[in-house]
Amino acid sequence: MKHQKYYLSKKSKLIAGVDEAGCGSLAGSVIAAAVILHPTQPVFGLADSKKLSNNKRFNLYKNIIQNSLDWGIGSANVAEIDRFNILQARLLAMKRAVQNLSITPDLILIDGNHAPRFVETPYQCFKKGDSRIPIISAASIIAKVTRDQDMVMLDIQYPKYGFAQNKGYPTAFHLNQLELYGPISHHRKSFAPIKHKIFSHQ
């Protein structure tokens, strides 16, 4: 797939890519990342995090962390997801990721059709940007690995749900375990498989 072009003014020297992970999960926070890559230390092999093997994704994660100018993580927790809805939680996590950068970018490139409102910094949205624009791919990798690590920790606390394997997504196994044991506080109560299900354990 060809890399997508974006508008770059003469003043846009520092570009941040932004993406999130975990929107479709039934459990856990939505995690966003903002990344500013180093102009003279390129990271090769960047791609949509979902299309990479675990080993390839983690190696790229380490490479991005070591060679980027700056990176930041933002999240929206389960309570915020249930309160605002997943789209607004996604935008909140993205905004927090950018706010957690120590360097202010000149331009922000965001995956998807929606973006949080950045008053002082120009930004652009790109459909499937995580597979078309390398700097957004970098952000998708950071977000995905960070969220996966969170779900592995959750798996240690609640091994019955297999969070380390399914990451809280509505796999057949996860839905079966929900049927058997009911949801925990880390499940998103506003999501249909949980909201519209009456569990015998509640």
Side-chain angles (χ1 to χ4, degrees):
M1 183 176 291
K2 294 182 179 179
H3 291 161
Q4 189 165 340
K5 294 182 179 179
Y6 50 86
Y7 173 73
L8 181 62
S9 72
K10 292 181 180 179
K11 294 182 179 179
S12 300
K13 297 179 180 179
L14 295 176
I15 305 170
V18 179
D19 198 8
E20 48 64 37
C23 279
S25 176
L26 301 181
S29 300
V30 57
I31 302 292
V35 178
I36 302 176
L37 294 175
H38 199 293
T40 63
Q41 297 178 24
V43 178
F44 298 103
L46 294 171
D48 179 358
S49 63
K50 298 183 293 295
K51 298 178 181 179
L52 297 169
S53 68
N54 289 335
N55 287 339
K56 178 68 172 177
R57 185 166 54 238
F58 187 68
N59 286 334
L60 283 168
Y61 167 85
K62 293 188 292 183
N63 200 350
I64 295 164
I65 295 297
Q66 292 171 358
N67 293 293
S68 63
L69 280 179
D70 197 11
W71 58 278
I73 296 294
S75 67
N77 61 33
V78 170
E80 291 171 321
I81 293 169
D82 288 338
R83 179 182 177 186
F84 300 124
N85 73 46
I86 188 59
L87 173 59
Q88 294 305 314
R90 173 182 181 269
L91 299 182
L92 182 59
M94 286 182 166
K95 190 164 190 175
R96 287 170 174 168
V98 173
Q99 290 172 338
N100 285 330
L101 291 171
S102 59
I103 299 173
T104 301
D106 301 307
L107 177 66
I108 302 171
L109 306 182
I110 301 167
D111 181 58
N113 297 323
H114 302 278
R117 186 167 176 262
F118 296 105
V119 178
E120 298 181 355
T121 306
Y123 60 91
Q124 295 174 253
C125 296
F126 295 91
K127 186 177 181 179
K128 297 183 179 180
D130 51 2
S131 61
R132 295 178 179 273
I133 299 176
I135 199 165
I136 297 180
S137 301
S140 79
I141 291 166
I142 296 296
K144 171 68 174 167
V145 172
T146 300
R147 187 177 190 282
D148 284 357
Q149 291 172 341
D150 286 353
M151 298 308 290
V152 168
M153 295 301 297
L154 196 61
D155 183 71
I156 294 172
Q157 293 179 270
Y158 304 96
K160 294 177 181 178
Y161 297 91
F163 289 127
Q165 287 73 44
N166 61 58
K167 306 299 186 296
Y169 287 90
T171 62
F173 175 82
H174 192 181
L175 292 174
N176 182 67
Q177 298 307 94
L178 278 169
E179 184 73 31
L180 289 173
Y181 302 108
I184 58 176
S185 61
H186 297 276
H187 279 103
R188 302 171 183 178
K189 308 303 188 296
S190 59
F191 276 39
I194 298 171
K195 181 179 180 180
H196 302 306
K197 182 80 174 177
I198 299 175
F199 291 96
S200 60
H201 292 74
Q202 289 185 309

